[in-house]
Amino acid sequence: MRKLPYILLAALAASALAVPVTAALPADVTAGQCIAGGGMIVISAAGDGSQGYTKRCMGGVHDGRTVL
């Protein structure tokens, strides 16, 4: 049986470790997740206010994520 080169084994291990980490990071969170993670919701006017509002989770586990 042939042994795989160490570089290939290292690449496989790195890719296996990277997949769960990226899957665990949500792009957007709910208000409940933000507060449960220790953050607070900050609502800001986009532009002069006529373009709507943005809601972000500030602090905690989900810092900087958009709140749905």
Side-chain angles (χ1 to χ4, degrees), residues 3-68:
K3 292 185 178 182
L4 294 174
Y6 289 111
I7 295 173
L8 181 58
L9 288 175
L12 289 172
S15 66
L17 292 174
V19 171
V21 171
T22 56
L25 296 174
D28 299 320
V29 296
T30 64
Q33 289 172 327
C34 177
I35 293 171
M40 62 181 178
I41 301 168
V42 176
I43 302 172
S44 304
D48 61 359
S50 65
Q51 299 168 340
Y53 297 91
T54 60
K55 295 179 275 183
R56 292 276 198 194
C57 183
M58 301 306 270
V61 177
H62 304 291
D63 187 38
R65 303 267 190 239
T66 301
V67 177
L68 300 175

